């Protein structure tokens, strides 16, 4: 059940109270500042790889690539997600955040921002060109690692804020099922906190002491395992908030209802369970992990196919039932009834389309030996640009178009909507071209994370150049789209006319019984712990007991 | 919890396909011996240049038309720098790193693995076609990563 506030449409109003709205906006705007800077870096990368431009001597390709990876994958996503979830939690629990949640929210923002600044400064000083995966024994400045640790801890505080809101709601609504958005927000943070514990351990107990010179060497294998323990659920941390928008906000935008409250919750629980114990699928091509353990992780990885199919079914079921109710007839008549000119629908919908090849590519990547064909080629980069860079990012853009005016008490005007449509088309075409080129060239062996090179004019590498240029062209379109987006968001924050913008939260059509078990968190957290011990207990023990001789630090850039 | 009939069918087809797929992957890996490269041998990364056989990287003939290639991957190159083998030769690559992490990839073959300091990576390939095969590093290893490559000539 969702509590909607009574809305008086004659007065301008904010669907969430000013204090919560400001907190949310503070997060969302840091996200888009990081996004804007990272978009410049991304465009430059494409141009450099395509041989269209050369970098000046005061910078280098890998410094720029580190900035792009960190700002896009870690800063843009995390800030946006934290801000979005806070706003939605406020919206679905009566319109405001209480004192504890606000305090946690701001404390988190301060820690995260401090951490971000530390990391960014070390990158700018070229003391941390280790890419966003910071694989040891490449050694960045200790401040880079300390900054990352602050970022993680800050995000935990934000999570505690959401847990506090959840507790308060539960106390005040004894025996009732929590609002779906709130439930999903809580699940997302349980996933995030569980996933970031191992990387925090890596950073605090391995990287920081080693980079400070307190210990001479590092266990490289263990550091990689801890990193990928985090690295895969990281992608689900990006995805779950996009799913929240799909499950809860999108039905309302198209004038429909939530398909099934319980199944939505069940899908989130499945994603929580099966996104964590799977990190070895990023380490399939490495020595030191046995084929049997790799296969166990591959199997657990592929189980996410089930909640993904559930999501696909729900989405199209919502689209079809809503389209039919609006008078769509025949097999596909309902399709035409969807609000194609409403950017709040159009952007996430285009994102969903990208998710179809994205999911198929994911199955290929996870498939044990087929991974040898694509591992560390630029195919992989193509893959995550259509999943996170298109499906998730377009959903976030679609959300931002209504979120910002809803929080600032302004209107998403017709013009802004139209500009948003143009921006979406540019992004989609740009991503399509860039990722198609990346996928194709990757299959032919072109490596990712690599500056312009022809490998001494090897004919094979020369053959990739045409694709590199297509990739650069796609990157150019993406850059134009990014600028347009920032302009629209500035307009919506500061200049759009005052007025009412809906914060779309859908409800179920009829009251639905939700099984109590879905909110018994100890059961699910226990299962998560069980799966983690099953998948990681023995391998991590082995990596500590039978570790390879350690590695001293290297600075090779 | 109510499941729509179509959704049941949809999920059952999905789960069935998935189960079949996983079984195929297992057969492929364990019955047909095509598991991903997972060598368990270790080595002290600070002593690679003193540890045989990596002190003298190169090709060693071990069979009729079969070779062991002991190689090092370092910032920013591979040793040995020159390798030549006859068409149809099977090569068992054994690679390690004295410094940071590198990649080892031969495009147009299925040779593609990580090289971690402290570990020895191995994989085997039979070169059936003549040519000058590119060997490149596909994991970022520093400022010269893009020049880290060599070739293997198959005649
Ligand atoms: C303006 C839009 C964008 C452009 C032009 C762009 C371009 C690129 C290019 C060319 C690379 C490949 C570099 C290489 O491997 O040598 C890259 C890497 C990457 N991009 Fe983007 N990208 C864009 C947006 C995004 C978005 C929205 C995300 C995620 C939210 C993202 C995340 C990444 C990540 C994580 C990497 C990998 C970095 C690494 O390998 O260390 N990008 N991008
Ligand atoms: Cu993954
Ligand atoms: Cu390299």
């Amino acid at each position: 059940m969702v509590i909607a506030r009574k809305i008086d449409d004659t007065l301008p109003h904010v669907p969430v109270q000013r204090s919560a709205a400001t907190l949310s906006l503070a997060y969302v705007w840091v996200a888009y500042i990081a996004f804007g800077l990272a978009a410049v870096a991304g465009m430059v990368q494409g141009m450099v790889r395509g041989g269209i431009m050369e970098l000046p001597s005061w910078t280098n390709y890998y410094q720029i690539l580190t900035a792009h990876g960190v700002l896009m994958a870690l800063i843009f996503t995390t800030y946006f997600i934290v801000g979005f979830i806070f706003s939605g939690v406020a919206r679905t629990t009566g319109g405001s955040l209480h004192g504890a949640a606000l305090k946690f929210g701001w404390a988190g923002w301060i820690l995260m921002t401090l951490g971000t600044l530390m990391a960014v400064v070390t990158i700018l000083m070229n003391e941390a060109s280790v890419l966003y995966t910071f694989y040891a024994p490449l050694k960045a400045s200790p401040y880079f690692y300390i900054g990352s640790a602050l970022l993680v801890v800050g995000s935990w505080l934000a999570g505690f804020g959401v847990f506090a809101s959840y507790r308060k709601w539960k106390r005040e609504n004894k025996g009732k099922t929590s609002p779906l958005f709130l439930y999903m927000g809580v699940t997302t943070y349980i996933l995030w906190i569980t996933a970031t514990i191992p990387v925090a351990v890596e950073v605090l107990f391995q990287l920081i002491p080693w980079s400070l010179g307190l210990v001479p060497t590092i266990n490289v294998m263990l550091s990689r395992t801890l990193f990928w323990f985090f690295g895969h659920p990281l992608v689900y941390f990006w995805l779950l908030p996009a799913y929240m928008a799909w499950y809860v906000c999108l039905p309302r935008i198209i004038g429909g209802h939530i398909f099934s409250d319980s199944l939505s919750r069940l899908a989130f629980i499945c994603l929580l369970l099966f996104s964590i114990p799977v990190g070895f699928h990023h380490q399939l091509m490495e020595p030191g992990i046995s084929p049997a353990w790799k296969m166990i992780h591959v199997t657990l990885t592929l189980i996410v196919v089930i909640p993904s199919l559930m999501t696909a079914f729900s989405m199209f079921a919502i689209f079809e039932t809503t389209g039919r109710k609006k008078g769509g007839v025949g097999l596909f008549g309902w399709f035409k009834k969807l609000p194609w000119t409403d950017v709040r629908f159009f952007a996430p919908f285009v994102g969903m389309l990208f998710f179809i090849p994205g999911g198929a590519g994911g199955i290929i990547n996870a498939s044990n030996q087929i991974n040898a064909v694509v591992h560390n080629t630029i195919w992989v980069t193509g893959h995550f640009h259509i999943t996170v860079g298109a499906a998730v990012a377009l959903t976030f853009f679609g959300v931002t178009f209504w979120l910002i005016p809803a929080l600032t008490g302004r209107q998403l005007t017709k013009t802004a909507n139209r500009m948003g449509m143009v921006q979406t088309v540019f992004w989609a075409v740009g991503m399509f071209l860039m990722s198609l080129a990346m996928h194709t060239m990757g299959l032919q062996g072109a490596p990712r994370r690599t500056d312009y090179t022809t490998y001494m004019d090897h004919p094979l590498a020369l053959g990739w150049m045409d694709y590199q240029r297509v990739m650069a062209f796609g990157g150019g379109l993406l850059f134009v789209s990014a600028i347009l987006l920032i302009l629209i968001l500035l307009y919506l924050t500061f200049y759009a006319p005052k007025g009412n913008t809906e914060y779309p939260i859908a409800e179920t059509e009829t009251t639905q019984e939700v099984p109590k078990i879905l909110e018994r968190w100890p059961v699910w957290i226990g299962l998560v712990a069980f799966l983690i011990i099953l998948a990681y207990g023995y391998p991590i023990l082995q990596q500590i007991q039978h570790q390879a001789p350690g590695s001293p630090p290297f600075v090779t850039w | 919890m109510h499941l729509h009939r179509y959704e049941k069918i949809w999920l059952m087809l999905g789960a069935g396909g998935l189960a079949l797929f996983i079984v195929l992957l297992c057969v492929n890996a364990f019955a047909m011996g095509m598991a991903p490269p997972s060598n368990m041998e270790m080595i002290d990364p600070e002593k690679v240049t003193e540890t045989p056989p990596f002190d003298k990287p190169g090709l060693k003939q071990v069979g009729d038309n079969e070779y062991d290639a002991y190689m090092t991957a370092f910032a920013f190159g591979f040793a040995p720098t020159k390798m030549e083998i006859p068409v149809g030769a099977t090569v068992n690559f054994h690679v390690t790193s004295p410094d940071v992490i590198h990649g080892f990839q031969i495009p147009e073959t299925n040779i593609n693995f990580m090289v971690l300091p402290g570990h020895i990576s191995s994989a085997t390939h039979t070169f059936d076609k003549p040519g000058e095969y590119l060997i490149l590093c596909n994991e970022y290893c520093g400022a010269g990563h893009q020049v880290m490559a060599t070739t293997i000539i198959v005649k």
Side-chain angles (χ1 to χ4, degrees):
Chain A
M1 209 186 65
V2 174
I3 297 185
R5 289 202 315 156
K6 187 116 186 75
I7 287 173
D8 180 357
D9 262 329
T10 54
L11 299 167
H13 72 278
V14 240
V16 285
Q17 245 176 34
R18 187 63 72 201
S19 56
T22 311
L23 175 67
S24 173
L25 279 171
Y27 276 104
V28 170
W29 260 109
V30 177
Y32 280 103
I33 292 168
F35 169 83
L37 296 172
V40 178
M43 180 214 38
V44 170
Q45 286 152 216
M47 305 271 272
V48 170
R49 286 190 66 129
I52 297 164
M53 80 180 255
E54 266 178 57
L55 289 172
S57 60
W58 47 265
T59 185
N60 68 74
Y61 185 77
Y62 304 106
Q63 184 180 20
I64 287 175
L65 185 57
T66 305
H68 180 74
V70 168
L71 290 173
M72 281 295 190
L74 304 177
I75 310 297
F76 164 60
T77 50
T78 309
Y79 272 88
F80 180 82
I81 291 165
V82 173
F84 174 46
I85 293 182
F86 267 133
S87 74
V89 166
R91 163 70 174 81
T92 56
T93 58
S96 63
L97 293 174
H98 68 299
L102 285 172
K103 275 191 204 117
F104 273 124
W106 279 112
W109 188 88
I110 291 168
L111 275 196
M112 283 171 67
T113 307
L114 206 68
T116 304
L117 288 176
M118 277 170 90
V120 168
V121 169
T122 54
I123 295 170
L124 287 178
M125 291 168 66
N126 200 25
E127 281 175 14
S129 297
V130 291
L131 307 190
Y132 84 111
T133 44
F134 46 84
Y135 290 148
L138 289 171
K139 187 198 77 88
S141 151
Y143 295 107
F144 176 79
Y145 303 120
I146 296 170
S148 327
L150 289 177
L151 181 70
V152 166
V153 174
S155 70
W156 289 351
L157 294 185
F160 297 157
V162 170
F163 295 156
S165 296
Y166 177 78
R167 277 235 193 82
K168 176 165 178 286
W169 193 93
K170 276 298 207 186
R171 230 183 5 252
E172 290 168 0
N173 300 270
K174 283 237 156 50
K176 289 199 195 143
T177 308
S178 58
L180 185 56
F181 191 101
L182 179 60
Y183 179 90
M184 292 174 156
V186 168
T187 317
T188 306
Y189 274 112
I190 293 177
L191 170 89
W192 176 244
I193 292 174
T194 315
T196 42
I197 289 170
V199 77
V201 168
E202 182 204 357
V203 168
L204 291 178
F205 296 102
Q206 289 196 285
L207 294 170
I208 292 179
W210 170 76
S211 69
L212 287 169
L214 301 177
V215 292
T217 60
I218 192 167
N219 180 341
V220 171
M221 190 74 233
L222 180 64
S223 74
R224 292 176 66 76
T225 301
L226 292 173
F227 183 85
W228 286 113
F229 189 146
F230 152 78
H232 188 76
L234 170 67
V235 313
Y236 282 88
F237 174 65
W238 301 333
L239 195 58
L240 290 191
Y243 278 10
M244 289 163 78
W246 295 3
Y247 273 108
V248 185
C249 304
L250 213 52
R252 171 79 201 169
I253 289 169
I254 65 172
H257 292 93
I258 288 174
F259 177 63
S260 161
D261 189 310
S262 325
L263 285 176
S264 315
R265 289 174 205 250
L266 184 65
F268 267 57
I269 290 292
C270 291
L271 290 164
L272 169 65
L273 293 177
F274 293 105
S275 65
I276 301 175
V278 299
F280 286 167
H281 71 224
H282 292 263
Q283 299 176 275
L284 291 173
M285 294 302 131
E286 53 200 70
I289 302 172
S290 74
W293 280 105
K294 287 176 179 173
M295 185 53 90
I296 290 172
H297 280 226
V298 164
T299 305
L300 290 169
T301 304
L302 290 169
I303 294 180
V304 297
V305 165
I306 304 292
S308 312
L309 289 178
M310 283 167 69
T311 305
F313 190 92
S314 308
M315 288 311 123
F316 282 88
I318 293 167
F319 295 158
E320 186 183 342
T321 38
T322 311
R324 286 200 191 284
K325 232 176 253 162
K326 289 186 180 166
V329 286
L331 201 49
F332 291 110
W334 53 272
F335 203 67
K336 291 197 212 105
K337 296 284 171 189
L338 296 171
W340 294 110
T341 53
D342 183 344
V343 73
R344 299 174 308 157
F345 166 75
F346 182 67
F349 183 85
V350 175
M352 286 178 189
L353 295 184
F354 272 102
F355 212 59
I356 299 170
I363 295 176
I364 293 172
N365 301 344
S367 300
N368 226 10
Q369 44 287 100
I370 306 179
N371 184 258
V373 179
V374 297
H375 175 73
N376 266 357
T377 68
I378 202 157
W379 156 288
V380 175
T381 319
H383 168 71
F384 61 69
H385 279 91
I386 58 176
T387 47
V388 63
V392 170
L394 281 169
T395 303
F396 289 179
F397 302 162
V399 166
T400 316
F401 289 134
W402 54 257
L403 181 62
I404 288 189
L407 296 179
T408 52
R410 293 179 190 274
Q411 284 171 18
L412 172 58
T413 54
K414 278 222 167 66
T415 321
N417 182 74
R418 206 168 303 134
M419 296 312 282
M421 299 285 293
V422 173
Q423 185 265 330
T424 304
V425 170
F426 265 78
W427 191 268
V429 176
M431 261 318 163
F432 178 78
L433 291 176
M434 184 172 90
S435 59
L436 192 66
M438 285 171 161
H439 276 95
T440 316
M441 166 163 69
L443 283 182
Q444 299 172 10
R448 66 184 282 202
R449 316 185 126 174
T450 304
D451 196 353
Y452 173 81
T453 179
T454 59
Y455 292 114
M456 291 156 294
D457 290 342
H458 193 281
L460 192 64
L462 289 174
W464 301 331
M465 276 336 276
D466 285 337
Y467 297 105
Q468 303 267 26
R469 279 191 282 271
V470 174
M471 180 179 93
F473 179 70
L477 294 182
L478 284 165
F479 181 66
V480 172
S481 174
I483 294 184
L484 191 53
L485 177 64
I486 301 274
L487 291 176
I488 299 169
L489 299 188
L490 281 171
Y491 170 75
L492 290 174
T493 310
F494 300 109
Y495 306 106
K498 295 264 176 199
N500 297 334
T501 295
E502 187 192 15
Y503 195 121
I505 295 287
E507 302 186 14
T508 51
E509 194 161 16
T510 51
T511 13
Q512 294 180 356
E513 207 50 53
V514 176
K516 285 264 181 296
I517 179 85
L518 286 170
E519 280 198 88
R520 299 238 163 85
W521 297 109
V523 173
W524 304 118
I525 295 173
L527 263 178
V528 169
F530 169 76
L531 285 171
I532 288 174
I533 291 170
L534 179 81
Y536 275 115
Y538 182 76
I540 288 188
L541 203 69
Q542 282 283 303
Q543 289 179 8
I544 293 170
Q545 282 179 343
H546 302 279
Q547 51 183 290
S551 282
F554 289 92
V555 178
T556 51
W557 64 89
Chain B
M1 223 177 315
H2 168 75
L3 259 188
H4 195 281
R5 197 167 67 91
Y6 288 151
E7 181 160 19
K8 257 184 219 153
I9 297 172
W10 166 252
L11 288 181
M12 247 135 63
L13 285 177
L18 181 65
L20 184 69
F21 187 68
I22 291 173
V23 168
L24 285 179
L25 283 183
C26 288
V27 169
N28 206 308
F30 301 112
M32 297 165 71
M34 296 207 291
S38 309
N39 191 9
M40 303 302 258
E41 281 168 280
M42 293 178 186
I43 183 172
D44 188 340
E46 297 183 74
K47 301 206 179 83
V48 168
T49 47
E50 311 151 27
T51 313
F54 294 100
D55 54 342
K56 293 197 196 74
L59 282 172
K60 279 200 188 86
Q61 187 151 14
V62 290
D64 219 10
N65 199 2
E66 186 173 348
Y67 299 81
D68 275 346
Y70 291 98
M71 299 182 69
T72 55
F74 52 86
F76 303 101
F78 293 97
T81 47
K82 211 171 156 64
M83 285 182 289
E84 239 186 77
I85 47 163
V87 177
T90 298
V91 182
N92 311 306
F93 293 94
H94 306 280
V95 192
T96 192
S97 159
D99 45 51
V100 298
I101 295 175
H102 299 278
F104 188 99
Q105 182 191 349
I106 310 181
E108 301 181 308
T109 74
N110 287 336
I111 294 289
N112 186 350
F113 53 78
M114 304 294 288
V115 183
L116 308 190
H119 294 261
I120 300 169
S121 306
S122 302
T124 297
H125 184 74
T126 302
F127 291 87
D128 285 327
K129 274 192 231 134
E132 187 175 346
Y133 288 78
L134 183 60
I135 299 180
L136 59 86
C137 170
N138 66 9
E139 182 56 273
Y140 169 64
C141 53
H145 164 59
Q146 69 282 1
V147 301
M148 183 168 165
T150 184
T151 54
I152 179 164
I153 296 165
V154 181
K155 273 201 188 143

